[in-house]
């Protein structure tokens, strides 16, 4: 019989992509302050990442002639992986706050990074997602094996890209330092 124990604390992070200038949404439109209100201080914001080259799925909703920019944002305080369903419900509400005519202008993919994996939350069921409560599913997007991020068959293309992986290495290194303290 196994003995239960508390899970390791994880580093929450968000993949945020916006219709147009991500700095406008983060700094001038108040997105940064709103997400910090719910998730605590941000300790890392990636440079702008080109998200649009991977998909045109969001163009209809966010704007066909608008460049979609993304950033990876890491939060300072470690938390329980059990918070993931609540975190996704919070980010869904934040997205609604920034919607125009019921169309999102900000998308926040919330998840967490553990030293062994990168996990994202979703409201959509799929064969590779596990239901974790409150209408939310969890997906292991990347595993960390033998010193590198390892994409899985279903990993979104942007998270297979070296530019994104390098940012996740940087966030993982920050996380490892936090775990030591």
């Amino acid at each position: 019989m196994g003995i239960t124990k508390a899970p390791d604390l994880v580093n929450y992070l968000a993949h945020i992509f916006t219709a147009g200038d991500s700095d406008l949404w983060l700094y001038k439109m108040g997105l940064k302050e709103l997400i910090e209100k719910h998730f605590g201080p941000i300790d890392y914001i990636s440079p702008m990442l080109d998200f649009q080259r991977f998909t045109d799925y969001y163009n209809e909703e966010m704007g066909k002639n608008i460049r979609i920019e993304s950033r990876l944002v890491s939060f300072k305080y470690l938390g329980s992986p059990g918070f993931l369903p609540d975190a996704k419900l919070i980010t869904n509400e934040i997205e609604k706050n920034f919607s125009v005519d019921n169309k999102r202008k900000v998308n926040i993919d919330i998840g967490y990074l553990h030293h062994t994996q990168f996990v994202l939350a979703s409201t959509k069921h799929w064969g590779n997602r596990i239901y974790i409560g409150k209408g939310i599913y969890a997906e292991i997007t990347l595993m960390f094996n033998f010193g590198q991020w390892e994409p899985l068959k279903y990993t979104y293309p942007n998270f297979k890209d070296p530019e994104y992986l390098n940012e996740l290495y940087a966030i993982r290194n920050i996380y490892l330092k936090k775990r030591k303290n």
Side-chain angles (χ1 to χ4, degrees), residues 1-62:
M1 167 176 63
I3 299 172
T4 63
K5 60 181 181 176
D8 290 340
L9 296 178
V10 296
N11 196 126
Y12 274 84
L13 66 122
H15 174 236
I16 300 171
F17 53 95
T18 61
D21 185 358
S22 59
D23 283 347
L24 172 72
W25 293 100
L26 277 170
Y27 302 111
K28 294 181 182 166
M29 301 292 285
L31 177 60
K32 180 179 181 283
E33 289 77 20
L34 191 53
I35 59 176
E36 285 183 319
K37 175 184 169 187
H38 292 284
F39 297 102
I42 292 170
D43 63 2
Y44 183 83
I45 299 177
S46 76
M48 194 281 292
L49 301 167
D50 184 0
F51 178 67
Q52 202 158 9
R53 68 186 163 111
F54 298 104
T55 182
D56 60 2
Y57 178 83
Y58 297 92
N59 290 18
E60 186 67 36
E61 184 177 17
M62 293 187 146

Side-chain angles (χ1 to χ4, degrees), residues 77-146:
Y77 302 122
L78 301 181
S80 168
F83 177 63
L84 190 57
D86 293 310
K88 182 63 177 171
L89 295 173
I90 290 166
T91 59
N92 283 354
E93 285 302 311
I94 293 171
E95 288 176 4
K96 284 182 192 173
N97 289 341
F98 288 95
S99 293
V100 176
D101 298 326
N102 291 321
K103 292 187 176 189
R104 289 179 297 175
K105 300 301 175 188
V106 170
N107 186 78
I108 306 169
D109 291 331
I110 192 74
Y112 62 77
L113 189 141
H114 180 269
H115 69 277
T116 62
Q117 61 192 188
F118 171 48
V119 176
L120 287 174
S122 179
T123 57
K124 298 178 242 16
H125 176 266
W126 199 246
N128 62 318
R129 295 178 181 161
I130 298 171
Y131 185 73
I132 56 173
K134 300 184 179 184
I136 306 301
Y137 299 84
E139 171 184 297
I140 297 173
T141 301
L142 296 166
M143 292 175 48
F144 199 84
N145 286 317
F146 304 106

Side-chain angles (χ1 to χ4, degrees), residues 71-84:
R71 304 227 182 210
L72 287 167
V73 175
S74 167
F75 299 99
K76 180 178 180 179
Y77 302 122
L78 301 181
S80 168
F83 177 63
L84 190 57

